[in-house]
Amino acid sequence: GESVGLHLPTLSVQEGDNSIINCAYSNSASDYFIWYKQESGKGPQFIIDIRSNMDKRQGQRVTVLLNKTVKHLSLQIAATQPGDSAVYFCAEKTRDDKIIFGKGTRLHILP
Amino acid sequence: ETGVTQSPTHLIKTRGQQVTLRCSSQSGHNTVSWYQQALGQGPQFIFQYYREEENGRGNFPPRFSGLQFPNYSSELNVNALELDDSALYLCASSLEADYEQYFGPGTRLTVT
């Protein structure tokens, strides 16, 4: 069925280190994946996306990797900052433009 | 901020009552999607409105209904509220149905 999930519910990272947030998906027909950041009291905010014909995409301090063979998605945040503290969701966009979210990973930044 | 606004911010209702939540889309956006986010979970798609017509629906019962107005603002109505309807309700607007979605801050609904 269509589902998107995450391996770890909570991740603690030292400030300045790189963060890696992982996600598994089960719908092999999905061709578009998105990472969102949700801070307390706010709605999800788009971070970066990737299409299924790509295996890597880079943004400002963020990189998304897609491994279609094992249906795995990851978000890498370089030089993690206190402002990166949030819940991160991976999501897949279905062919009829619905977005299916995973459960989220909370990222804690340690001083 | 995304320019998407929602009202009210918080709401407390009693089981069996009805509720209407409102969303103003970002200027120029003709599509609004609604999501339900239970505590500690990811948002779940309820339905989408494109140019005043429903354009897709998730696995929610008919007591969840919506409207989109000519100015592309939208309402989410929930009848016969149940305790499990307690959640954060998010709306997101997009320029077109298949474009990037911009989320509002949500309405926190508590059903007692």
Side-chain angles (χ1 to χ4, degrees):
Chain A
E2 298 179 344
S3 66
V4 178
L6 295 171
H7 296 309
L8 297 173
T10 306
L11 178 67
S12 295
V13 175
Q14 204 75 36
E15 183 179 348
D17 287 352
N18 296 336
S19 301
I20 300 176
I21 301 172
N22 295 304
C23 174
Y25 65 94
S26 60
N27 186 359
S28 57
S30 295
D31 58 6
Y32 181 61
F33 301 89
I34 311 162
W35 279 100
Y36 289 93
K37 173 186 180 182
Q38 187 173 24
E39 296 175 280
S40 180
K42 297 183 178 180
Q45 176 188 3
F46 173 94
I47 302 173
I48 192 167
D49 57 5
I50 188 167
R51 296 204 174 273
S52 60
N53 60 354
M54 304 171 69
D55 53 20
K56 180 178 180 179
R57 188 159 188 232
Q58 288 184 292
Q60 187 176 12
R61 277 203 309 121
V62 294
T63 301
V64 55
L65 299 177
L66 175 63
N67 185 331
K68 295 180 287 295
T69 303
V70 295
K71 298 180 186 174
H72 183 268
L73 197 66
S74 69
L75 175 71
Q76 300 178 5
I77 304 173
T80 311
Q81 303 169 358
D84 295 328
S85 289
V87 177
Y88 289 81
F89 294 96
C90 68
E92 58 184 304
K93 198 171 191 182
T94 65
R95 290 181 179 174
D96 54 356
D97 298 321
K98 295 179 184 58
I99 297 178
I100 301 173
F101 284 80
K103 292 185 179 180
T105 292
R106 181 172 298 281
L107 179 63
H108 285 294
I109 311 304
L110 303 170
Chain B
E1 299 301 322
T2 62
V4 179
T5 60
Q6 293 185 243
S7 63
T9 306
H10 296 87
L11 198 55
I12 300 175
K13 288 286 189 178
T14 303
R15 188 171 49 184
Q17 286 187 315
Q18 178 266 342
V19 69
T20 297
L21 309 182
R22 295 178 174 82
C23 172
S24 291
S25 57
Q26 190 166 321
S27 179
H29 288 191
N30 60 24
T31 304
V32 172
S33 303
W34 285 93
Y35 296 83
Q36 180 194 67
Q37 186 176 22
L39 199 61
Q41 303 291 318
Q44 299 293 307
F45 175 76
I46 303 175
F47 44 56
Q48 181 183 84
Y49 279 84
Y50 170 69
R51 295 183 180 273
E52 303 180 60
E53 297 287 331
E54 188 177 289
N55 184 45
R57 188 179 181 94
N59 295 325
F60 281 81
R63 60 189 185 83
F64 285 79
S65 62
L67 282 173
Q68 188 178 32
F69 300 99
N71 67 355
Y72 302 132
S73 66
S74 178
E75 284 183 356
L76 165 65
N77 299 291
V78 187
N79 293 323
L81 283 166
E82 300 176 0
L83 297 179
D84 285 349
D85 295 334
S86 295
L88 180 69
Y89 288 84
L90 296 160
C91 80
S93 75
S94 52
L95 197 60
E96 294 286 339
D98 58 346
Y99 280 45
E100 179 182 336
Q101 296 187 9
Y102 295 83
F103 285 82
T107 293
R108 172 72 62 188
L109 173 66
T110 302
V111 182
T112 62

